[in-house]
């Protein structure tokens, strides 16, 4: 019943995608990254109603003052920072272990058993590259754009994966299409959601 389980996550993503446009941007993002005080206050009002949210706004202003002199590091600078190595190792182990969960779908796609570990390693490397790419564009595009676009593309890819897995017995090249779509799905997931 893995296909039912896979479609359930697609249903949850569709629900999130439908409701995402009705939510405001994150107030800390608007104030700290975009430096939009009016937008921040408007988002807080939309999230918390007419209540007193000025304490939270003052906290954000203090945080902005504290981080004003702080240099925002890019990905390579973060990777060179020794203090983040334990967290980086944890994330890498998590990514690698998640890839082992995808072996079932590679078997379902009728890939040869001998190449499945290499395919899984390729998916892990593509996800890692995607995460690095995402961290460089997230501040320019915003989380909302990446989430919305990511869910639309992931939904389309899930539909295409379902079709290619259904047609794999008809065409000898269809398992490779399934593989390419799975890799694309993992890349879009890493960049978006």
């Amino acid at each position: 019943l893995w296909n039912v389980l896979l479609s359930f996550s697609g249903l949850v993503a569709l629900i999130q995608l439908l409701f995402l446009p009705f939510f405001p941007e994150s107030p800390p993002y608007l104030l700290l990254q975009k430096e939009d005080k009016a937008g921040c206050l408007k988002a807080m009002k939309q999230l918390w109603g007419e209540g007193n949210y000025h304490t939270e706004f003052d906290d954000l202003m203090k945080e902005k003052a504290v981080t004003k002199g702080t240099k925002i590091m890019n990905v390579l600078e973060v990777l060179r920072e020794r203090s983040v190595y334990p967290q980086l190792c944890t994330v890498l182990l998590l990514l690698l272990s998640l890839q082992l969960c995808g072996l079932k779908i590679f078997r379902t796609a009728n890939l040869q058993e001998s190449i499945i570990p290499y395919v899984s390693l390729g998916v892990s490397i593509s996800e890692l590259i995607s995460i690095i790419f995402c961290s460089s564009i997230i501040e320019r595009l915003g989380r909302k754009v990446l989430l919305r676009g990511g869910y639309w593309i992931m939904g389309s890819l899930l539909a295409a994966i379902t079709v290619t897995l259904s047609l794999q017995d008809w065409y000898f090249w269809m398992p490779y299409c399934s593989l390419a779509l799975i890799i694309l799905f993992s890349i879009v997931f890493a960049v978006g959601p």
Side-chain angles (χ1 to χ4, degrees):
L1 296 175
W2 67 268
N3 51 353
V4 175
L5 187 61
L6 191 63
S7 64
F8 179 73
S9 65
L11 178 66
V12 172
L14 179 64
I15 291 169
Q16 290 177 351
L17 185 62
L18 291 175
F19 287 104
L20 188 63
F22 300 107
F23 289 102
E25 287 286 350
S26 165
Y29 170 75
L30 289 171
L31 184 66
L32 302 175
Q33 301 296 324
K34 296 284 188 175
E35 297 186 7
D36 182 9
K37 286 183 184 178
C40 176
L41 288 170
K42 182 181 175 188
M44 286 181 155
K45 183 177 179 182
Q46 189 175 354
L47 287 170
W48 292 312
E50 295 294 331
N52 187 6
Y53 47 83
H54 296 289
T55 305
E56 288 84 4
F57 183 75
D58 291 339
D59 289 343
L60 284 175
M61 290 300 289
K62 288 176 189 173
E63 183 180 345
K64 183 178 179 183
V66 167
T67 60
K68 188 172 187 174
T70 306
K71 181 184 179 240
I72 297 175
M73 300 169 70
N74 64 27
V75 176
L76 291 176
E77 292 170 339
V78 170
L79 291 176
R80 289 185 194 128
E81 183 66 37
R82 288 196 177 275
S83 63
V84 299
Y85 283 174
Q87 295 90 343
L88 185 62
C89 289
T90 303
V91 169
L92 287 175
L93 284 173
L94 179 64
L95 281 174
L96 291 174
S97 64
L98 284 174
Q99 290 313 306
L100 295 175
C101 299
L103 295 179
K104 168 100 171 118
I105 199 164
F106 294 140
R107 286 189 182 108
T108 305
N110 286 338
L111 293 175
Q112 296 173 357
E113 286 286 328
S114 60
I115 67 167
I116 288 178
Y118 300 109
V119 171
S120 183
L121 181 64
V123 171
S124 297
I125 291 170
S126 65
E127 273 189 4
L128 184 62
I129 291 169
S130 301
I131 290 169
I132 292 170
F133 174 71
C134 174
S135 64
S136 65
I137 65 168
I138 195 167
E139 298 304 329
R140 282 185 241 146
L141 297 178
R143 288 172 176 81
K144 205 170 189 179
V145 172
L146 290 178
L147 280 172
R148 190 179 311 144
Y151 279 134
W152 278 113
I153 295 170
M154 284 169 53
S156 302
L157 288 172
L158 284 174
I161 289 170
T162 302
V163 170
T164 58
L165 288 176
S166 300
L167 297 176
Q168 68 184 351
D169 294 331
W170 293 17
Y171 304 102
F172 74 93
W173 47 268
M174 199 57 71
Y176 299 105
C177 289
S178 300
L179 174 63
L181 291 171
I182 291 167
I183 291 172
L184 277 174
F185 180 85
S186 67
I187 289 171
V188 171
F189 176 78
V191 171

